[in-house]
Amino acid sequence: MNRFGRDATSPLGRRGASLRPGAPDQRTVSGTAPVGQVLVRLMFAPGSSTLESTHSFLAAYTADRLPAAVAQRVSLAAYELLSNAMNYASLSSDVVLEIVQHTDRTIVRTANDAIAARIAMLREQVDKIRSDSEGAFVQELKRSMKGGHTRAMLGLARVAFESGLKLDLETTGQRVRVTAELRRDERR
Amino acid sequence: MTNLETLKRPDLSTVKIEFTQANSLKLSGTITSKEPDKSLGAFFRTVHDAAVSGRLPEVRLDLRGLTFVNSSAIRMFIDWAMWLANEQGHRYRLRVVTSPQITWQRVSFSTLAHLAGEHLIIERTP
Amino acid sequence: MSKPESHRMPKSPLIFMRFRPVWTYVDGIREFCRFFCETTFGETDVADRASVVVQETLENAVKYSGAGDDAELELTIESRGTEIEFSVSSLPDPVHLGTLRDELSSIASQTPEEAYVAAFLRAASEPGAASRLGLARIRHEGKAELSLREEQNGRIRITATSTI
């Protein structure tokens, strides 16, 4: 089961997890990892121009919903992950964005289809960022100043270096999922 | 003669109230507050009372700039139509200028027109 | 009274969001849903109807919500082929649930236009009383059929289904 299978896909049926900071984790009956609570899930049609308006809405939503130290970083992550997904998703693919709250972490993730070459490029970039987020950020910043490189890669580097979220990438065939995770003990 | 422009208008964040001509009121924006009758509805009542006491022949209400309202706001227009229909004193004409492109106006005022008396005139102007 | 089954959450809603039942949230959510539907479906009419349905279902849910951490609202918008489905899950104050059921039954027994006219007549004859226009407006102006489902832990789900 991939990590998404553990998270709540049916929030109404899984209200065991609490949103209250400090509340104890509530494991499922089988003793598996605690389920998260989906706060927002959006599915965008292929090619739709929704980024800026969505960002405005999510910035307001997270500012009200999450602690201040978390909200801005999560909002930035949502923007950059969505921008990245919109840029390289296959034209026929929907793009799904989720913000999921666990007791010990907040997760932003996107899912979409992409061609193999783009997935490979993305995987390489995420690996670079995971191994050295500052180095990757500086490199992408230099590239973007020279022009010619997609801004989306600078965005992912920002999420990791500037906002301190942990990036991850999973693929199932053509389906790619990018996750940015902020653990509670990493909140500044 | 009564000048409606002297009436104090409520200061609302989402809806702009203007007097565009003599006895002509224009609303723009949206109305989605929980109890719009307490502010805007109360203002409508002062306009109605002033029109009655001043024996105005007509009050023109231009709503073409009012792009969205909630049902509590629609209720205020029903109330106004009923004040006029039930008025025992001077009955003025209330001319409501609506946009055929704005769904809530098209739907609500065609319904209201059937219920209100002849003193309510619904104008559909782009 | 036995509890009915849990609602089947759609696997891929267009929009899902969870928030506290606060009136000031409704405007922003409505506008976002309007924009989202217009962009997704490319039809102003669908976006306009979405505005009405979202506004009135959320206002209804906020007005009748109980208090407490569990009283969060959940809004879902899903596309099902030729239909668009809006649903709002809430935890109503039990005092209001009976009224809500009665209202839905009453408007369901009439055509959308009849129910809307009836609501206008009621508003006209009861000055100062609560509007009660919202649900009728969803059916007539929003062109959506309404249903109420009771879910676990005292929650209810109001669903409005409209043709795209």
Side-chain angles (χ1 to χ4, degrees), chain B residues 26-114:
Chain B
K26 180 177 177 182
L27 271 61
S28 323
T30 61
I31 307 172
T32 54
S33 54
K34 197 170 183 180
E35 294 174 310
D37 56 310
K38 292 203 167 18
S39 50
L40 193 50
F43 171 69
F44 287 169
R45 185 72 207 203
T46 64
V47 173
H48 166 78
D49 290 342
V52 170
S53 63
R55 304 188 71 80
L56 298 181
E58 180 172 291
V59 171
R60 187 173 181 274
L61 183 62
D62 186 345
L63 301 181
R64 290 171 293 173
L66 200 55
T67 55
F68 186 83
V69 300
N70 61 9
S71 54
S72 299
I74 293 173
R75 173 64 188 271
M76 293 190 306
F77 298 110
I78 298 174
D79 287 346
W80 196 338
M82 290 304 107
W83 300 329
L84 190 50
N86 297 330
E87 180 57 52
Q88 299 297 310
H90 168 73
R91 290 167 86 186
Y92 57 94
R93 286 188 307 278
L94 178 60
R95 181 178 298 273
V96 184
V97 185
T98 64
S99 166
Q101 270 80 47
I102 298 179
T103 308
W104 79 263
Q105 296 185 14
R106 205 171 58 240
V107 172
S108 298
F109 283 99
S110 64
T111 306
L112 190 56
H114 291 307

XYZ file of all heavy atoms in Angstrom, chain B residues 26-114:
715
model
N -29.042 53.763 -7.039
C -28.325 52.691 -7.731
C -27.539 51.872 -6.722
O -26.825 52.433 -5.884
C -27.378 53.294 -8.768
C -26.589 52.261 -9.546
C -25.718 52.926 -10.597
C -24.879 51.867 -11.303
N -23.985 52.463 -12.302
N -27.653 50.552 -6.830
C -26.887 49.642 -5.968
C -25.918 48.848 -6.826
O -26.276 48.352 -7.896
C -27.816 48.664 -5.243
C -28.382 49.087 -3.886
C -29.232 50.328 -3.972
C -29.172 47.941 -3.269
N -24.663 48.742 -6.332
C -23.671 47.932 -7.041
C -22.918 47.076 -6.034
O -22.708 47.488 -4.900
C -22.633 48.807 -7.744
O -23.186 49.951 -8.277
N -22.471 45.912 -6.501
C -21.672 45.029 -5.651
C -22.415 43.750 -5.362
O -23.049 43.187 -6.250
N -22.280 43.286 -4.124
C -22.958 42.056 -3.713
C -23.546 42.260 -2.320
O -23.068 43.095 -1.551
C -21.974 40.862 -3.648
O -20.949 41.142 -2.674
C -21.309 40.581 -4.979
N -24.569 41.496 -2.008
C -25.158 41.523 -0.668
C -25.223 40.089 -0.164
O -26.016 39.285 -0.674
C -26.575 42.127 -0.658
C -26.602 43.489 -1.332
C -27.088 42.238 0.781
C -27.998 44.061 -1.520
N -24.364 39.765 0.802
C -24.349 38.398 1.317
C -24.220 38.358 2.833
O -23.829 37.348 3.402
C -23.177 37.589 0.703
O -21.960 38.305 0.926
C -23.375 37.350 -0.772
N -24.544 39.467 3.470
C -24.424 39.489 4.928
C -25.561 38.694 5.555
O -26.559 38.383 4.908
C -24.406 40.922 5.448
O -25.534 41.614 4.978
N -25.384 38.369 6.833
C -26.347 37.500 7.515
C -27.709 38.176 7.690
O -28.754 37.548 7.536
C -25.781 37.136 8.884
C -26.448 35.956 9.526
C -25.675 35.517 10.748
C -26.293 34.276 11.359
N -25.563 33.839 12.553
N -27.696 39.434 8.028
C -28.959 40.152 8.281
C -28.938 41.497 7.567
O -28.860 42.544 8.216
C -29.158 40.335 9.786
C -29.380 39.027 10.536
C -29.429 39.231 12.042
O -28.524 39.887 12.598
O -30.370 38.726 12.666
N -29.021 41.479 6.256
C -28.946 42.740 5.524
C -30.140 43.654 5.820
O -30.056 44.861 5.597
C -28.939 42.292 4.061
C -29.562 40.942 4.054
C -29.213 40.320 5.359
N -31.217 43.081 6.330
C -32.395 43.898 6.615
C -32.101 44.924 7.700
O -32.716 45.992 7.733
C -33.563 42.994 7.038
C -33.212 42.119 8.233
O -32.151 41.465 8.188
O -33.989 42.089 9.200
N -31.150 44.632 8.564
C -30.885 45.534 9.682
C -30.213 46.831 9.221
O -30.376 47.876 9.823
C -30.019 44.837 10.728
C -30.753 43.698 11.428
C -30.179 43.368 12.770
C -31.028 42.474 13.655
N -32.088 41.683 13.091
N -29.464 46.751 8.153
C -28.784 47.965 7.682
C -29.432 48.441 6.394
O -30.098 49.477 6.350
C -27.292 47.675 7.469
O -27.126 46.507 6.673
N -29.290 47.641 5.362
C -29.801 48.047 4.058
C -31.336 48.038 4.034
O -31.964 48.942 3.473
C -29.236 47.106 2.995
C -29.388 47.503 1.539
C -28.915 48.925 1.302
C -28.586 46.532 0.663
N -31.914 47.033 4.651
C -33.371 46.977 4.707
C -33.951 48.174 5.437
O -34.974 48.739 5.037
N -33.291 48.559 6.505
C -33.731 49.742 7.257
C -33.610 50.992 6.389
O -34.471 51.892 6.442
C -32.897 49.893 8.533
N -32.575 51.054 5.576
C -32.405 52.190 4.658
C -33.525 52.191 3.618
O -34.113 53.245 3.333
C -31.039 52.129 3.978
C -30.861 53.122 2.862
C -30.783 54.488 3.128
C -30.794 52.694 1.541
C -30.627 55.412 2.094
C -30.633 53.617 0.512
C -30.557 54.974 0.786
N -33.838 51.027 3.076
C -34.937 50.939 2.105
C -36.222 51.469 2.736
O -37.022 52.146 2.086
C -35.155 49.492 1.642
C -34.102 48.960 0.712
C -34.067 47.602 0.413
C -33.150 49.772 0.129
C -33.105 47.074 -0.444
C -32.173 49.277 -0.724
C -32.155 47.911 -1.014
N -36.425 51.150 3.987
C -37.639 51.611 4.672
C -37.666 53.133 4.778
O -38.724 53.757 4.598
C -37.725 50.982 6.064
C -39.015 51.320 6.797
C -40.221 50.627 6.224
N -41.440 51.377 6.474
C -42.657 50.840 6.490
N -42.817 49.535 6.290
N -43.711 51.599 6.691
N -36.514 53.749 5.044
C -36.500 55.215 5.124
C -36.775 55.829 3.751
O -37.439 56.874 3.664
C -35.159 55.765 5.678
O -34.102 55.438 4.774
C -34.843 55.233 7.044
N -36.300 55.170 2.698
C -36.579 55.653 1.350
C -38.080 55.563 1.073
O -38.699 56.504 0.567
C -35.788 54.851 0.290
C -36.213 55.252 -1.118
C -34.288 55.072 0.463
N -38.658 54.430 1.420
C -40.105 54.239 1.223
C -40.898 55.295 1.999
O -41.785 55.961 1.428
C -40.513 52.844 1.685
C -41.994 52.667 1.832
N -42.827 52.467 0.738
C -42.800 52.669 2.927
C -44.078 52.353 1.165
N -44.096 52.485 2.484
N -40.553 55.465 3.267
C -41.276 56.430 4.096
C -41.140 57.847 3.538
O -42.109 58.630 3.538
C -40.770 56.379 5.549
C -41.181 55.096 6.263
O -42.122 54.416 5.784
O -40.554 54.768 7.296
N -39.942 58.184 3.066
C -39.711 59.521 2.505
C -40.504 59.705 1.207
O -41.048 60.788 0.941
C -38.219 59.730 2.245
N -40.582 58.643 0.409
C -41.331 58.721 -0.845
C -42.818 58.911 -0.575
O -43.505 59.654 -1.284
C -41.093 57.461 -1.669
N -43.301 58.247 0.469
C -44.728 58.362 0.828
C -45.020 59.756 1.375
O -45.949 60.440 0.923
C -45.110 57.279 1.865
C -46.506 57.537 2.443
C -45.056 55.897 1.223
N -44.195 60.170 2.354
C -44.470 61.475 2.986
C -44.255 62.616 2.010
O -44.945 63.638 2.069
C -43.617 61.652 4.242
O -42.249 61.652 3.910
N -43.294 62.461 1.083
C -43.017 63.501 0.106
C -43.903 63.409 -1.127
O -43.782 64.221 -2.042
N -44.772 62.407 -1.175
C -45.691 62.201 -2.301
C -44.948 62.163 -3.634
O -45.357 62.802 -4.613
C -46.796 63.267 -2.308
C -47.603 63.326 -0.996
C -48.814 64.247 -1.100
N -49.856 63.675 -1.949
C -50.729 62.754 -1.591
N -50.709 62.253 -0.354
N -51.638 62.305 -2.444
N -43.841 61.435 -3.642
C -43.080 61.324 -4.885
C -43.860 60.483 -5.893
O -44.498 59.499 -5.520
C -41.720 60.657 -4.616
C -40.774 61.392 -3.668
C -39.465 60.615 -3.530
C -40.499 62.804 -4.149
N -43.820 60.843 -7.158
C -44.520 60.037 -8.155
C -43.831 58.684 -8.397
O -44.491 57.683 -8.641
C -44.485 60.887 -9.420
C -43.368 61.851 -9.225
C -43.215 62.054 -7.747
N -42.486 58.693 -8.304
C -41.758 57.465 -8.636
C -40.411 57.443 -7.919
O -39.773 58.474 -7.734
C -41.539 57.395 -10.154
C -40.782 56.152 -10.627
C -40.739 56.009 -12.129
O -41.791 55.747 -12.735
O -39.636 56.154 -12.700
N -39.998 56.230 -7.541
C -38.636 55.991 -7.066
C -38.030 54.956 -8.008
O -38.649 53.930 -8.301
C -38.598 55.457 -5.622
C -37.181 55.007 -5.232
C -39.109 56.503 -4.647
N -36.844 55.269 -8.511
C -36.179 54.373 -9.445
C -35.041 53.660 -8.717
O -34.221 54.287 -8.053
C -35.638 55.184 -10.619
C -35.058 54.393 -11.765
C -34.725 55.367 -12.911
N -34.183 54.696 -14.077
C -32.906 54.397 -14.254
N -32.011 54.708 -13.324
N -32.500 53.777 -15.348
N -35.025 52.347 -8.846
C -34.026 51.540 -8.156
C -33.258 50.751 -9.225
O -33.809 49.850 -9.847
C -34.727 50.593 -7.180
C -33.884 49.687 -6.296
C -33.001 50.496 -5.365
C -34.783 48.750 -5.481
N -31.997 51.134 -9.449
C -31.191 50.495 -10.489
C -30.324 49.415 -9.835
O -29.430 49.723 -9.039
C -30.317 51.555 -11.179
C -29.565 50.993 -12.379
O -29.477 49.756 -12.518
O -29.040 51.793 -13.173
N -30.590 48.171 -10.193
C -29.879 47.055 -9.564
C -28.902 46.368 -10.524
O -28.350 45.313 -10.193
C -30.886 46.006 -9.062
C -31.915 46.488 -8.060
C -32.829 45.334 -7.639
C -31.256 47.091 -6.827
N -28.696 46.950 -11.703
C -27.913 46.242 -12.713
C -26.476 45.975 -12.290
O -25.812 45.108 -12.828
C -27.962 47.010 -14.040
C -29.344 46.955 -14.683
C -29.435 47.895 -15.870
N -29.341 49.288 -15.455
C -29.267 50.308 -16.302
N -29.252 50.089 -17.602
N -29.194 51.556 -15.856
N -26.003 46.748 -11.318
C -24.636 46.535 -10.833
C -24.560 45.589 -9.647
O -23.483 45.293 -9.139
N -25.710 45.088 -9.224
C -25.746 44.199 -8.060
C -25.631 42.760 -8.573
O -26.616 42.151 -8.971
C -27.055 44.428 -7.310
C -27.160 44.002 -5.858
C -26.074 44.622 -4.998
C -28.527 44.352 -5.308
N -24.413 42.249 -8.577
C -24.158 41.013 -9.315
C -24.573 39.747 -8.575
O -24.848 38.727 -9.194
C -22.666 40.901 -9.666
O -21.907 41.021 -8.447
C -22.247 41.989 -10.630
N -24.575 39.791 -7.248
C -24.962 38.592 -6.510
C -25.531 38.993 -5.163
O -25.024 39.903 -4.504
C -23.756 37.661 -6.308
C -24.131 36.349 -5.671
C -24.627 35.311 -6.438
C -24.029 36.156 -4.302
C -25.007 34.107 -5.854
C -24.410 34.964 -3.705
C -24.897 33.937 -4.483
N -26.598 38.301 -4.762
C -27.183 38.526 -3.437
C -27.570 37.179 -2.837
O -27.783 36.198 -3.574
C -28.435 39.435 -3.501
C -28.102 40.796 -4.084
C -29.553 38.772 -4.286
N -27.676 37.130 -1.530
C -28.203 35.924 -0.906
C -29.724 36.040 -0.752
O -30.312 37.083 -1.079
C -27.517 35.627 0.438
C -27.700 36.726 1.462
O -28.485 37.669 1.250
N -26.990 36.635 2.570
N -30.350 34.985 -0.275
C -31.818 34.979 -0.219
C -32.334 35.970 0.825
O -33.451 36.479 0.685
C -32.345 33.564 0.061
O -31.749 33.032 1.224
N -31.543 36.259 1.836
C -31.960 37.272 2.816
C -32.063 38.639 2.162
O -32.902 39.457 2.545
C -30.969 37.325 3.980
O -30.926 36.085 4.641
N -31.227 38.892 1.180
C -31.291 40.158 0.445
C -32.514 40.190 -0.459
O -33.187 41.214 -0.580
C -30.011 40.363 -0.361
N -32.804 39.076 -1.112
C -33.997 39.008 -1.954
C -35.227 39.307 -1.105
O -36.164 39.989 -1.543
C -34.114 37.617 -2.621
C -32.962 37.431 -3.614
C -35.460 37.451 -3.318
C -32.866 36.037 -4.205
N -35.209 38.824 0.096
C -36.308 39.079 1.034
C -36.570 40.571 1.218
O -37.711 41.006 1.366
C -35.981 38.416 2.370
C -36.934 38.724 3.505
C -38.324 38.201 3.235
N -39.273 38.658 4.225
C -39.546 38.020 5.357
N -38.903 36.895 5.654
N -40.441 38.488 6.181
N -35.496 41.378 1.235
C -35.652 42.832 1.413
C -36.448 43.444 0.280
O -37.238 44.379 0.487
C -34.289 43.530 1.453
C -33.464 43.193 2.652
S -32.035 44.274 2.753
C -31.289 44.040 1.130
N -36.267 42.940 -0.938
C -37.021 43.490 -2.071
C -38.485 43.053 -1.992
O -39.394 43.807 -2.360
C -36.373 43.079 -3.393
C -34.972 43.591 -3.555
C -33.890 42.728 -3.514
C -34.726 44.955 -3.711
C -32.594 43.210 -3.635
C -33.430 45.437 -3.827
C -32.361 44.564 -3.781
N -38.703 41.842 -1.487
C -40.091 41.399 -1.248
C -40.737 42.321 -0.223
O -41.878 42.784 -0.408
C -40.125 39.940 -0.740
C -39.550 38.980 -1.766
C -41.562 39.530 -0.370
C -39.409 37.540 -1.279
N -40.008 42.602 0.844
C -40.538 43.478 1.890
C -40.925 44.838 1.316
O -41.998 45.374 1.607
C -39.497 43.667 3.007
C -39.319 42.441 3.874
O -40.164 41.522 3.807
O -38.320 42.375 4.619
N -40.034 45.384 0.493
C -40.298 46.702 -0.081
C -41.548 46.669 -0.951
O -42.406 47.544 -0.876
C -39.087 47.178 -0.915
C -39.099 48.661 -1.215
C -40.184 49.499 -1.205
C -37.977 49.467 -1.585
N -39.798 50.774 -1.533
C -38.452 50.782 -1.782
C -36.619 49.210 -1.783
C -37.618 51.843 -2.156
C -35.796 50.262 -2.152
C -36.289 51.560 -2.340
N -41.673 45.632 -1.751
C -42.861 45.512 -2.606
C -44.129 45.427 -1.756
O -45.180 45.984 -2.119
C -42.738 44.282 -3.508
N -44.038 44.742 -0.616
C -45.218 44.596 0.253
C -45.541 45.899 0.983
O -46.716 46.216 1.214
C -44.979 43.466 1.259
C -44.967 42.083 0.624
S -46.490 41.701 -0.300
C -45.890 41.810 -1.992
N -44.497 46.672 1.385
C -44.788 47.985 1.993
C -45.618 48.820 1.026
O -46.562 49.490 1.412
C -43.500 48.758 2.302
C -42.572 48.088 3.252
C -42.885 47.243 4.282
C -41.153 48.221 3.253
N -41.734 46.841 4.922
C -40.651 47.420 4.319
C -40.229 48.932 2.473
C -39.298 47.313 4.608
C -38.880 48.830 2.768
C -38.416 48.024 3.830
N -45.202 48.770 -0.230
C -45.866 49.575 -1.251
C -47.289 49.059 -1.487
O -48.243 49.827 -1.550
C -45.042 49.520 -2.534
C -45.399 50.466 -3.669
C -45.511 51.901 -3.172
C -44.353 50.354 -4.768
N -47.423 47.745 -1.580
C -48.739 47.162 -1.864
C -49.721 47.436 -0.723
O -50.911 47.618 -0.960
C -48.594 45.655 -2.088
N -49.209 47.466 0.500
C -50.070 47.631 1.676
C -50.171 49.082 2.148
O -50.819 49.356 3.159
C -49.546 46.766 2.833
C -49.587 45.280 2.482
O -50.429 44.837 1.707
N -48.651 44.514 3.028
N -49.531 49.997 1.420
C -49.490 51.397 1.855
C -50.873 52.035 1.767
O -51.539 51.976 0.721
C -48.482 52.167 0.984
C -48.333 53.634 1.334
C -47.936 53.859 2.798
O -46.934 53.238 3.251
O -48.630 54.628 3.471
N -51.280 52.604 2.865
C -52.600 53.251 2.928
C -52.516 54.720 2.493
O -53.520 55.308 2.097
C -53.149 53.190 4.369
C -53.342 51.775 4.889
C -54.364 51.006 4.077
O -55.467 51.484 3.831
N -53.979 49.825 3.613
N -51.326 55.279 2.589
C -51.161 56.688 2.204
C -50.837 56.788 0.710
O -51.345 56.025 -0.106
N -49.955 57.709 0.359
C -49.589 57.924 -1.035
C -48.804 56.723 -1.569
O -47.873 56.253 -0.930
C -48.727 59.200 -1.129
C -48.064 59.357 -2.475
N -48.788 59.718 -3.609
C -46.789 59.187 -2.867
C -47.951 59.757 -4.633
N -46.743 59.460 -4.205
N -49.235 56.248 -2.722
C -48.512 55.118 -3.310
C -47.765 55.589 -4.552
O -48.363 55.988 -5.538
C -49.488 53.995 -3.652
C -50.043 53.328 -2.377
C -51.216 52.456 -2.653
N -50.801 51.116 -3.034
C -51.657 50.178 -3.446
N -52.942 50.455 -3.570
N -51.234 48.992 -3.749
N -46.449 55.514 -4.468
C -45.593 55.910 -5.578
C -45.339 54.698 -6.459
O -45.656 53.569 -6.080
C -44.272 56.488 -5.027
C -43.536 55.524 -4.118
C -42.539 54.680 -4.606
C -43.863 55.433 -2.755
C -41.895 53.779 -3.788
C -43.217 54.524 -1.930
C -42.239 53.703 -2.452
O -41.599 52.802 -1.634
N -44.746 54.933 -7.612
C -44.308 53.817 -8.452
C -42.869 53.455 -8.052
O -42.017 54.343 -7.903
C -44.315 54.202 -9.939
C -45.695 54.286 -10.572
C -45.571 54.470 -12.087
N -44.710 55.588 -12.457
C -45.103 56.864 -12.499
N -46.339 57.203 -12.176
N -44.252 57.813 -12.860
N -42.620 52.183 -7.885
C -41.256 51.716 -7.641
C -40.791 51.056 -8.929
O -41.272 49.984 -9.308
C -41.201 50.733 -6.469
C -39.816 50.133 -6.158
C -38.798 51.229 -5.804
C -39.902 49.111 -5.021
N -39.889 51.721 -9.630
C -39.384 51.202 -10.909
C -38.047 50.526 -10.634
O -37.080 51.198 -10.238
C -39.198 52.338 -11.916
C -38.703 51.883 -13.285
C -38.586 53.074 -14.240
N -39.884 53.682 -14.440
C -40.760 53.286 -15.367
N -40.480 52.287 -16.173
N -41.912 53.914 -15.477
N -38.002 49.234 -10.804
C -36.773 48.482 -10.536
C -36.131 48.140 -11.877
O -36.732 47.442 -12.698
C -37.052 47.196 -9.738
C -35.740 46.500 -9.405
C -37.827 47.509 -8.459
N -34.932 48.675 -12.090
C -34.217 48.435 -13.339
C -33.288 47.240 -13.135
O -32.393 47.275 -12.284
C -33.405 49.679 -13.764
C -32.761 49.447 -15.130
C -34.305 50.915 -13.802
N -33.534 46.184 -13.889
C -32.772 44.945 -13.710
C -32.038 44.591 -14.996
O -32.365 45.100 -16.072
C -33.700 43.773 -13.338
O -34.595 43.519 -14.439
C -34.509 44.077 -12.092
N -31.067 43.706 -14.838
C -30.310 43.244 -15.995
C -30.791 41.853 -16.398
O -30.825 40.951 -15.560
C -28.820 43.186 -15.654
O -28.127 42.456 -16.646
N -31.118 41.648 -17.656
C -31.525 40.301 -18.086
C -30.364 39.301 -18.051
O -30.592 38.091 -18.075
C -32.014 40.509 -19.525
C -31.440 41.817 -19.964
C -31.180 42.622 -18.749
N -29.126 39.826 -17.963
C -27.952 38.935 -17.930
C -27.665 38.391 -16.533
O -26.890 37.454 -16.389
C -26.697 39.692 -18.397
C -26.447 39.598 -19.895
C -27.323 40.578 -20.638
O -27.421 41.737 -20.277
N -27.966 40.117 -21.687
N -28.260 38.985 -15.526
C -27.959 38.566 -14.153
C -29.094 37.655 -13.667
O -30.244 38.080 -13.504
C -27.790 39.777 -13.218
C -26.605 40.614 -13.700
C -27.573 39.318 -11.778
C -26.345 41.864 -12.885
N -28.755 36.398 -13.456
C -29.764 35.364 -13.208
C -30.658 35.667 -12.012
O -31.884 35.535 -12.116
C -29.075 34.001 -13.003
O -28.191 33.748 -14.081
C -30.099 32.874 -12.908
N -30.097 36.057 -10.898
C -30.937 36.239 -9.694
C -31.973 37.330 -9.939
O -33.106 37.242 -9.438
C -30.096 36.525 -8.448
C -29.590 37.929 -8.300
C -28.362 38.408 -8.653
C -30.301 39.050 -7.756
N -28.273 39.742 -8.371
C -29.437 40.164 -7.820
C -31.580 39.220 -7.223
C -29.815 41.437 -7.377
C -31.960 40.493 -6.774
C -31.079 41.584 -6.859
N -31.610 38.335 -10.728
C -32.552 39.415 -11.002
C -33.662 38.930 -11.918
O -34.843 39.208 -11.700
C -31.815 40.599 -11.643
C -30.796 41.209 -10.699
C -30.140 42.454 -11.241
O -30.591 43.053 -12.214
N -29.044 42.852 -10.617
N -33.257 38.187 -12.923
C -34.239 37.679 -13.874
C -35.240 36.780 -13.161
O -36.448 36.896 -13.323
C -33.480 36.891 -14.952
C -34.165 36.789 -16.288
C -33.253 36.189 -17.350
N -32.771 34.872 -17.007
C -31.478 34.567 -16.883
N -30.533 35.474 -17.051
N -31.110 33.337 -16.568
N -34.746 35.871 -12.361
C -35.597 34.875 -11.703
C -36.440 35.502 -10.599
O -37.650 35.282 -10.521
C -34.731 33.727 -11.144
C -35.555 32.790 -10.288
C -34.062 32.972 -12.279
N -35.811 36.286 -9.744
C -36.523 36.806 -8.565
C -37.547 37.867 -8.927
O -38.657 37.860 -8.405
C -35.526 37.380 -7.562
O -34.656 36.378 -7.112
N -37.185 38.776 -9.824
C -38.126 39.855 -10.099
C -39.259 39.417 -11.008
O -40.346 39.992 -10.960
C -37.394 41.104 -10.612
C -36.718 41.845 -9.495
C -35.365 41.685 -9.257
C -37.451 42.658 -8.639
C -34.748 42.336 -8.182
C -36.847 43.308 -7.566
C -35.489 43.147 -7.348
N -39.051 38.394 -11.817
C -40.195 37.890 -12.584
C -41.180 37.231 -11.623
O -42.399 37.304 -11.812
C -39.749 36.918 -13.679
O -39.172 35.777 -13.108
N -40.674 36.610 -10.565
C -41.560 36.029 -9.551
C -42.253 37.141 -8.772
O -43.471 37.091 -8.550
C -40.758 35.136 -8.583
O -40.028 34.166 -9.310
C -41.676 34.433 -7.588
N -41.504 38.149 -8.367
C -42.068 39.229 -7.554
C -43.107 40.026 -8.325
O -44.110 40.469 -7.762
C -40.936 40.136 -7.064
C -41.283 41.184 -6.012
C -41.914 40.547 -4.779
C -40.043 41.967 -5.609
N -42.860 40.193 -9.621
C -43.778 40.996 -10.441
C -45.185 40.417 -10.415
O -46.180 41.164 -10.461
C -43.265 41.071 -11.872
N -45.281 39.078 -10.336
C -46.602 38.436 -10.321
C -47.331 38.675 -9.007
O -48.554 38.574 -8.941
C -46.457 36.924 -10.545
C -46.014 36.575 -11.919
N -46.653 37.036 -13.039
C -44.978 35.826 -12.352
C -46.044 36.576 -14.112
N -45.023 35.847 -13.730
